[in-house]
Amino acid sequence: MTKLKLTFIALIALTVFSLAASITFGPANISTSELMHCLFSQCNNAISHTVIWQVRIPRVLVALVAGMGLAVAGAILQNTTRNPLADPYLFGIVSGAGLGATVASISLANEMTIALPLAAFLGALLSVIIVMFIAKVLQSMEQMLLAGVAVSFMLAALTQFILYFGEPFATNRVIFWLMGSLARVEMNNFYVIAAILLASLIAIFALHRQIDALLLGDDSATSLGVNVDKLRLLMLALCAALTATIVAYCGGIGFVGLMIPHIVRQVVGVTTLKLIFGSALIGGSFLIWVDVVARSSLMHAEIPIGIITSALGSLFFLFIMYKSRISQ
Amino acid sequence: MIKAKHLFAYAVLLLASTFSHASEQSSTKPSILALAPHIVEMLYDVGAGEQIIGTTEHADYPEAAKKIPRIGNYVRLQIERVIELQPDIIIAWKSGNPSDDLQRLAQLGFTIIYSQPNTFNDIAKELRYFGKVTGNEQQGEQVAKAFEQQLAHIESTYKGKEKITTFYELWSRPLTTVAKNSWPQEFLTTCAAYNPFEQVATPYPQISVEQVLAMSVQLIIQPLSVNQTEREGFNWQDWPVIPAVKNKRILQPNADALHRMTTRSLTALKELCAEIDSIRITLPKTAKGTNTK
């Protein structure tokens, strides 16, 4: 128990350190002393003030809650479906959001600030509803991920069809939007994501024993008095809301939900409460640092953040498969 | 043939614009962030080249433009760098800039004006406009006027000429052509070339060679880019049934000159029209491009 406590203290320290350290990275040249002035008293000039308070701090905070949210959504999905490879993205959430973004880019080009996140959110929600409906018809949890993959392809095909007839440059916009970026975020986005994250964490905290029971199998959970279908539906709805919101503001950031919970299981354990809070802390720190790489590794440009997470994620995915082959 | 007088006037103006930077440049003129290669080129034309303090990737003309600091590309702008540079005016291109970044900059209180040239006349309009906002009104007016005169001359030269059925190959894999609302269609219209695909709903339709066979195409335009060594054109030699292939009427203009919307495109237009005209003369009078739709 003390070891676990120490681990969590270390993780919290890591998160706080990540938050503080990452603010010092960025394309604008701001010295550490200037940064300290800005944070604790008054900026020396208006430029630094704008960069720090309107660009960097919102970005770092959104990276924190988006990383936390994606990791938590992945962890809860893996535990409720008992599928170690479950990831919110396999539910067609990104292709649904992409479809929404496409429709918004083509038809509402002048109202993008509000229309794009809203349309992306609705598209993501649409895909989740379709997947859940299919899974219900098939009466099978195992088929749910396959249904998600099928729906993903269907929505992607629709998106491409619309883009083909749209303005050629809109195509580029949507493609790059899907690659994910934290460059466009504002403080408001942080508040919205943080609120949904907090609500999800409270719900998970209240139900964590029931979710643990699910790990034993549906029959065992039912005999322990858990309403399996209802619980699973609630958790899926939380995951969908969390992921769809993050995708709407940040675009496609893949694989965080898949990768982070697996690392956390190695570090702190598999039961829900430990897994969720561990995932939140590691996921938040991870995305903060990935975004630092995205915004400061190239001299004159940014790397879309989704490229970095997907590259790391796919290698990690193969690594897990390889390890599970050995253990069988 | 273009009148030598016009050409000479235009050359003098360009030379003048190159040398007038030093004299015209003063601290009162606004600093500019130019977010597309064609905007940079036009700013140099109106004499505002020295006022550009930042631009995006691929701004490589004129030579001096290569030294301008880069603050992003068409995917993402570095907002922090823009705030650092504090430009007085940002000239953006809606089609080629990330709209969320532009909105962000507008929220931060930057003045943003847009460049959106869709026709040759738009280029002249924008030269005037850029001259005005950058404090180079006189030179902007001169360059725009010279441009308009040349354009009018080219247009009148080919107006009413017999239309020649032309296929414009934008890309070879997949085979893609152009239709109304696309930039190359402007060239075809001005040069009196009839594009059988002009009325297709999408500006850059993908098509199959079968559709080309049905059009009895007299001429094929296959722009090639000097920068793309690996770019291969469509292999028309396999289709000798197409009249244009049978009679070896395939033009290969420089794609870079054709596809960038600046004053240089006028030279490309002039050359292309002249080449098309030289082929038009060789056609029998009966081979008139007719609408097969």
Side-chain angles (χ1 to χ4, degrees):
Chain A
M1 191 61 207
T2 39
K3 188 175 168 228
L4 187 70
K5 265 191 184 150
L6 278 177
T7 310
F8 269 102
I9 289 167
L11 287 181
I12 291 169
L14 168 75
T15 309
V16 173
F17 166 77
S18 301
L19 273 175
S22 61
I23 297 177
T24 61
F25 292 91
N29 284 318
I30 296 175
S31 64
T32 316
S33 63
E34 167 72 346
L35 189 73
M36 288 297 161
H37 268 287
C38 273
L39 292 177
F40 300 111
S41 61
Q42 192 78 45
C43 284
N44 295 332
N45 60 55
I47 294 177
S48 301
H49 183 273
T50 313
V51 169
I52 299 282
W53 290 104
Q54 299 206 34
V55 181
R56 262 189 224 175
I57 286 181
R59 215 173 150 153
V60 169
L61 288 174
V62 170
L64 175 77
V65 290
M68 282 182 162
L70 291 170
V72 165
I76 214 68
L77 206 57
Q78 285 165 16
N79 271 15
T80 50
T81 58
R82 288 194 304 280
N83 181 338
L85 295 183
D87 174 276
Y89 278 58
L90 295 174
F91 278 75
I93 286 182
V94 175
S95 39
L99 179 61
T102 306
V103 173
S105 306
I106 303 254
S107 56
L108 305 154
N110 299 326
E111 302 293 330
M112 291 297 266
T113 329
I114 301 156
L116 187 88
L118 188 69
F121 180 80
L122 292 175
L125 230 48
L126 170 81
S127 71
V128 173
I129 290 166
I130 297 175
V131 171
M132 282 188 176
F133 175 75
I134 294 173
K136 197 136 189 74
V137 169
L138 295 172
Q139 287 290 325
S140 141
M141 219 34 240
E142 287 71 35
Q143 302 277 12
M144 194 160 189
L145 284 181
L146 284 176
V149 173
V151 170
S152 275
F153 279 110
M154 184 173 72
L155 296 178
L158 260 174
T159 302
Q160 288 167 352
F161 187 74
I162 295 171
L163 285 178
Y164 179 63
F165 286 100
E167 193 223 354
F169 290 104
T171 316
N172 275 352
R173 278 203 292 270
V174 171
I175 287 171
F176 290 118
W177 180 85
L178 284 173
M179 289 182 185
S181 169
L182 297 178
R184 65 179 83 88
V185 298
E186 301 162 23
M187 271 323 261
N188 291 343
N189 309 164
F190 166 72
Y191 299 135
V192 174
I193 298 173
I196 295 178
L197 178 67
L198 201 65
S200 307
L201 287 175
I202 291 169
I204 292 165
F205 185 77
L207 296 166
H208 74 274
R209 292 193 192 286
Q210 280 96 315
I211 302 169
D212 281 343
L214 277 186
L215 289 172
L216 305 168
D218 284 12
D219 296 344
S220 316
T222 311
S223 65
L224 288 169
V226 177
N227 184 337
V228 173
D229 283 342
K230 211 167 171 179
L231 177 66
R232 196 170 272 144
L233 199 66
L234 175 69
M235 287 300 138
L236 286 177
L238 277 184
C239 285
L242 206 48
T243 315
T245 311
I246 294 168
V247 169
Y249 290 133
C250 313
I253 305 176
F255 276 115
V256 176
L258 176 77
M259 229 179 349
I260 302 295
H262 280 283
I263 297 171
V264 176
R265 282 191 192 92
Q266 308 291 331
V267 179
V268 297
V270 296
T271 51
T272 303
L273 211 52
K274 287 189 269 185
L275 178 68
I276 292 301
F277 286 97
S279 295
L281 292 170
I282 294 183
S285 306
F286 172 76
L287 206 61
I288 288 175
W289 287 110
V290 170
D291 188 48
V292 166
V293 172
R295 73 171 179 263
S296 45
S297 57
L298 297 184
M299 265 302 285
H300 304 303
E302 292 220 3
I303 307 171
I305 193 168
I307 294 179
I308 306 172
T309 55
S310 294
L312 290 170
S314 55
L315 290 172
F316 185 78
F317 198 81
L318 294 170
F319 172 72
I320 291 179
M321 292 205 303
Y322 182 73
K323 264 187 73 169
S324 65
R325 183 192 64 93
I326 290 172
S327 61
Q328 272 167 14
Chain B
M1 268 298 291
I2 283 277
K3 284 184 189 144
K5 200 169 66 176
H6 285 312
L7 265 182
F8 180 71
Y10 195 64
V12 167
L13 273 177
L14 276 180
L15 273 175
S17 74
T18 322
F19 290 117
S20 62
H21 291 321
S23 57
E24 275 201 68
Q25 180 61 19
S26 69
S27 56
T28 55
K29 290 195 174 174
S31 61
I32 313 162
L33 196 62
L35 298 181
H38 77 267
I39 299 172
V40 169
E41 219 173 298
M42 282 202 231
L43 286 171
Y44 272 96
D45 281 342
V46 301
E50 299 290 315
Q51 293 160 249
I52 307 174
I53 53 170
T55 183
T56 48
E57 284 166 23
H58 306 299
D60 54 6
Y61 189 90
E63 197 57 32
K66 290 179 180 168
K67 295 193 185 70
I68 303 169
R70 313 280 141 156
I71 52 97
N73 51 29
Y74 64 105
V75 185
R76 187 65 48 222
L77 305 174
Q78 294 180 297
I79 304 277
E80 290 190 18
R81 292 284 315 281
V82 179
I83 298 170
E84 259 189 325
L85 289 169
Q86 290 289 313
D88 297 320
I89 306 168
I90 297 175
I91 305 182
W93 179 38
K94 271 208 173 84
S95 305
N97 293 144
S99 52
D100 49 0
D101 282 344
L102 293 179
Q103 261 161 351
R104 196 66 198 281
L105 290 171
Q107 276 171 358
L108 290 168
F110 287 100
T111 311
I112 305 179
I113 60 172
Y114 291 97
S115 159
Q116 199 66 44
N118 296 321
T119 64
F120 285 107
N121 284 320
D122 288 347
I123 294 177
K125 265 187 223 149
E126 292 198 354
L127 286 168
R128 277 199 184 88
Y129 182 43
F130 293 169
K132 211 189 208 137
V133 294
T134 59
N136 302 283
E137 196 162 358
Q138 204 182 348
Q139 193 172 329
E141 178 58 41
Q142 284 170 334
V143 180
K145 208 173 222 148
F147 183 91
E148 279 167 345
Q149 281 169 348
Q150 276 208 69
L151 178 63
H153 182 82
I154 298 171
E155 280 173 342
S156 63
T157 307
Y158 300 101
K159 207 177 169 121
K161 291 240 178 181
E162 195 175 6
K163 291 230 165 103
I164 170 167
T165 307
T166 305
F167 177 75
Y168 192 99
E169 178 196 322
L170 188 66
W171 290 298
S172 57
R173 276 192 301 260
L175 188 57
T176 307
T177 187
V178 299
K180 59 177 187 241
N181 301 329
S182 72
W183 177 243
Q185 181 59 46
E186 284 277 303
F187 283 81
L188 298 176
T189 308
T190 310
C191 299
Y194 164 69
N195 173 8
F197 295 96
E198 188 179 352
Q199 296 310 322
V200 178
T202 167
Y204 302 100
Q206 288 178 23
I207 49 151
S208 81
V209 72
E210 204 177 315
Q211 287 164 287
V212 184
L213 296 179
M215 301 288 183
S216 72
V217 170
Q218 299 288 350
L219 167 70
I220 292 169
I221 299 177
Q222 190 177 41
L224 296 178
S225 175
V226 271
N227 301 331
Q228 293 167 286
T229 43
E230 80 288 348
R231 187 198 146 112
E232 276 178 67
F234 188 83
N235 193 358
W236 292 108
Q237 302 316 317
D238 296 347
W239 308 93
V241 66
I242 300 171
V245 179
K246 194 172 82 186
N247 301 312
K248 298 197 172 52
R249 298 195 195 106
I250 300 179
L251 296 177
Q252 296 185 322
N254 176 351
D256 301 333
L258 280 176
H259 295 161
R260 198 180 276 186
M261 298 160 253
T262 63
T263 46
R264 281 192 296 162
S265 59
L266 214 52
T267 317
L269 174 72
K270 198 176 79 209
E271 286 168 4
L272 187 71
C273 285
E275 279 186 305
I276 292 175
D277 208 42
S278 66
I279 285 168
R280 184 182 287 116
I281 302 164
T282 66
L283 288 178
K285 276 286 170 222
T286 48
K288 192 172 177 175
T290 48
N291 197 336
T292 51
K293 286 199 173 179

